[in-house]
Amino acid sequence: MSSPLTDLCRYPIVQAPMAGGVSRPELAAAVSEAGGMGFLAAGYKTADGMYNEIEQLRRMTRRPFGVNLFMPQPSVADPSAVEVYRSQLAGEASWYETPLGDPDAGGDDGYDAKVAILLDDPVPVVSFTFGCPAREILDAFAAAGTCTVVTVTSAQEARNAQWAGADVLCVQGTEAGGHQSTHRDDPQGGLSGTGLLALIAEIRESVRLPVIATGGLMRGAQIAAVLTAGADAAQLGTAFLPCPESGAHPLHKDALTNPLFVTTALTRAFSGRPARGLVNRFVREHGPYAPAAYPQVHQLTSGLRRAAAAAGDAQGMALWAGQGHRLARELPAGELVGLLAAETDAARAAVSVRSAQ
């Protein structure tokens, strides 16, 4: 299959852009060099920090790669609910001996400056999380020769992205680790979503754009399944977390297969937006009370998360992970890409044999 993105890489395997230092240049370079599509995560970085990582990556590989941007978020927070949650977190601040962050520290993530840099010095692929850019922005990237990818979680979001001029959709099922990339965080919407296979089918009947499928994918057989279901490529995040090139904290890597952490859940506890992570003490104690307030809650808890990591306490960290986390394999990223590609080919060949019988 051919699409504006898959034409850029040998295998239909995309490394998810995981913010917070996980998707660093070493990881993206290793994936791209192995024939997949490596991604940098510009979220939570300054514009200069993003540019510096792009330059590092360019020194590591000449292969195509992508950069992911967070869309600016409209305020949906109830200030009084944020203050109540601040009070509930006072015990955490005392326990970790660190102050709570300022919930009003800013929320556009330097979007305009990052877009300006990427238009002035284009990269092969730019993807967007938490919304869809205006048509003029996507047109500008098209004129610069950049393939644009918009992450969607519903058919309506997919139709909006197609209308705006996106080249490719990243279709995110509820199984995915990390933040759910809904274009609007509905405070009354609860913590739910649509499974990946159902979502692919619904979106395939709604739009004509190429699809990257993401959500809980850990093995080549699963990649083969989403390709058969209509996707053009598969995006994996949790699968790449344990790689030595990943910037994930060692405790986070260990927790993926640690028997102490048996399940995942969608929670607002750490950021105020629905995100899937391993269920730990912090999620159990604070998840039921966290308001829909992103990035205010993210700002509030940032110091707590850093302090928990510094103290070696995984029970206070945001351990983002997809539903397939128990299948994590600690392999070099390039080796993992090769293995996933071989597993995908084997699974598709097996299906062909069974179909011929």
Side-chain angles (χ1 to χ4, degrees):
M1 289 177 286
S2 175
S3 76
L5 185 139
T6 54
D7 287 346
L8 297 174
C9 49
R10 179 181 179 187
Y11 302 124
I13 297 171
V14 180
Q15 164 247 312
M18 296 168 280
V22 178
S23 296
R24 59 185 183 176
E26 294 88 342
L27 179 60
V31 171
S32 289
E33 281 290 304
M37 173 63 65
F39 255 92
L40 292 176
Y44 307 138
K45 292 185 175 68
T46 64
D48 286 343
M50 177 196 75
Y51 179 76
N52 289 336
E53 287 206 345
I54 291 172
E55 290 304 293
Q56 290 178 46
L57 181 52
R58 283 172 168 156
R59 290 192 292 268
M60 295 176 182
T61 183
R62 295 182 180 273
R63 305 272 186 180
F65 63 89
V67 175
N68 175 259
L69 301 182
F70 284 176
M71 293 294 298
Q73 297 297 287
S75 177
V76 298
D78 176 351
S80 62
V82 174
E83 282 306 306
V84 169
Y85 195 55
R86 174 196 282 274
S87 298
Q88 292 173 337
L89 294 177
E92 299 284 349
S94 176
W95 176 259
Y96 290 115
E97 299 182 337
T98 190
L100 296 172
D102 178 4
D104 301 315
D108 71 353
D109 202 51
Y111 175 76
D112 290 337
K114 291 172 183 176
V115 167
I117 288 173
L118 292 169
L119 289 174
D120 182 64
D121 189 5
V123 300
V125 183
V126 173
S127 69
F128 301 89
T129 295
F130 300 152
C132 180
R135 178 182 289 271
E136 55 266 29
I137 297 294
L138 293 176
D139 286 347
F141 276 113
T146 296
C147 172
T148 53
V149 181
V150 174
T151 309
V152 299
T153 62
S154 71
Q156 184 58 57
E157 291 175 355
R159 289 189 288 269
N160 293 344
Q162 179 174 257
W163 181 88
D167 293 314
V168 179
L169 300 175
C170 181
V171 175
Q172 184 195 48
T174 190
E175 304 94 333
H179 283 98
Q180 298 288 289
S181 187
T182 51
H183 291 191
R184 179 180 179 272
D185 183 19
D186 181 2
Q188 307 303 320
L191 298 173
S192 62
T194 303
L196 180 58
L197 289 177
L199 192 57
I200 292 172
E202 186 178 356
I203 286 175
R204 269 301 186 201
E205 293 189 5
S206 300
V207 300
R208 297 183 179 275
L209 294 178
V211 163
I212 303 168
T214 190
L217 306 177
M218 302 290 289
R219 293 286 191 269
Q222 294 171 298
I223 296 174
V226 297
L227 295 178
T228 301
D232 299 271
Q235 179 174 284
L236 294 81
T238 305
F240 286 104
L241 268 175
C243 296
E245 299 91 344
S246 156
H249 193 283
L251 288 175
H252 192 171
K253 295 182 180 185
D254 175 73
L256 296 175
T257 54
N258 188 322
L260 286 175
F261 304 100
V262 297
T263 189
T264 65
L266 289 172
T267 182
R268 298 183 188 272
F270 293 103
S271 74
R273 235 185 184 276
R276 183 173 297 280
L278 299 173
V279 176
N280 59 6
R281 178 193 60 79
F282 199 100
V283 171
R284 287 191 297 269
E285 292 183 1
H286 301 293
Y289 311 106
Y294 178 90
Q296 288 86 351
V297 171
H298 169 78
Q299 305 285 9
L300 266 180
T301 66
S302 59
L304 297 178
R305 288 178 273 123
R306 286 194 299 270
D313 182 10
Q315 296 293 341
M317 296 169 60
L319 303 172
W320 303 138
Q323 287 185 342
H325 65 96
R326 302 294 296 179
L327 297 173
R329 297 178 284 199
E330 189 177 348
L331 296 171
E335 184 177 333
L336 179 58
V337 170
L339 179 57
L340 289 167
E343 290 174 345
T344 302
D345 288 344
R348 302 186 82 178
V351 170
S352 297
V353 169
R354 287 195 293 270
S355 299
Q357 291 174 344

